[in-house]
Amino acid sequence: MTETIGELVARGHRARSENRSADSRAAFLEAVRKAAIETDRPSLAEAFCGLAQAERDIGNPEAASHHYANAAVLYRELKQPEKLAYAIRHEADIFRESRRIAEAEALYLEAERILREIGEGAMLDLANTLRGLALVNESIGKIDVSKTLWNETRELYAKCKVEDGIAESDKRLSRLP
């Protein structure tokens, strides 16, 4: 019996949570293929995000970036701002880690704008986005901007009760002049 797109996506996430990266990638690839054939754009966007995560897990950031960008195009067309912000923030993380700072900053700023428009329901996503933006600003020597961002990031993580985020924010703030 052939798996549905939803079953393939679930299998991909399950394999990823079990650290079976190759199986995760295979399941998401099949979900992308099936969603494309069925012209199921919401499922295709979700499958692209899963495939991007799997590619990132196996150390293929260029493919991951490409898949997040594909998901972002779909989420933009589908008018799903929270999912759009998620996809572009993750692409921004890849650019930041690859030292493509200008590209990362532009995507973080777009994700920040979207998430601020969403409001309270996107608090944790906003914290994660501001974290990346703080790291970008820190890396290019914009210390005052970085401090402001780390302070807001810490505040948001505190509201969301994310202890690791609070600790990282405190650590970063203590190291900045």
Side-chain angles (χ1 to χ4, degrees):
M1 183 165 109
T2 305
E3 289 176 287
T4 67
I5 300 165
E7 289 168 341
L8 288 164
V9 167
R11 183 161 54 92
H13 285 301
R14 191 171 43 258
R16 186 168 186 260
S17 72
E18 295 169 355
N19 295 315
R20 295 183 293 114
S21 300
D23 292 341
S24 175
R25 183 177 182 273
F28 285 121
L29 272 171
E30 182 61 19
V32 164
R33 186 191 69 74
K34 190 172 185 96
I37 289 169
E38 294 179 13
T39 61
D40 180 345
R41 293 169 26 164
S43 294
L44 181 58
E46 183 181 2
F48 270 134
C49 278
L51 182 56
Q53 292 167 336
E55 292 287 5
R56 202 167 176 196
D57 290 344
I58 62 172
N60 195 351
E62 287 183 26
S65 174
H66 177 75
H67 299 313
Y68 280 127
N70 284 334
V73 167
L74 291 165
Y75 286 136
R76 202 177 302 279
E77 291 172 1
L78 295 166
K79 298 186 181 355
Q80 295 183 339
E82 195 162 0
K83 291 180 179 183
L84 169 61
Y86 173 88
I88 62 177
R89 193 257 302 167
H90 280 279
E91 187 178 10
D93 288 342
I94 293 167
F95 286 152
R96 178 181 48 78
E97 291 164 3
S98 301
R99 293 180 178 39
R100 294 167 62 181
I101 300 303
E103 292 159 294
E105 183 176 32
L107 290 176
Y108 282 131
L109 290 171
E110 181 181 2
E112 176 190 12
R113 180 188 54 73
I114 292 166
L115 294 166
R116 287 193 190 281
E117 288 174 8
I118 292 169
E120 291 285 317
M123 205 178 317
L124 181 56
D125 288 329
L126 179 58
N128 291 333
T129 299
L130 294 180
R131 174 192 177 273
L133 193 54
L135 289 167
V136 162
N137 279 280
E138 199 175 311
S139 75
I140 58 176
K142 293 184 178 177
I143 302 306
D144 288 341
V145 174
S146 185
K147 280 182 184 178
T148 300
L149 289 164
W150 279 118
N151 278 314
E152 185 176 1
T153 300
R154 187 198 188 289
E155 189 177 301
L156 290 168
Y157 280 137
K159 286 180 182 176
C160 296
K161 298 178 178 27
V162 178
E163 296 302 321
D164 288 345
I166 296 167
E168 180 188 19
S169 298
D170 287 342
K171 182 177 176 183
R172 292 285 185 171
L173 283 164
S174 72
R175 290 182 179 173
L176 292 174

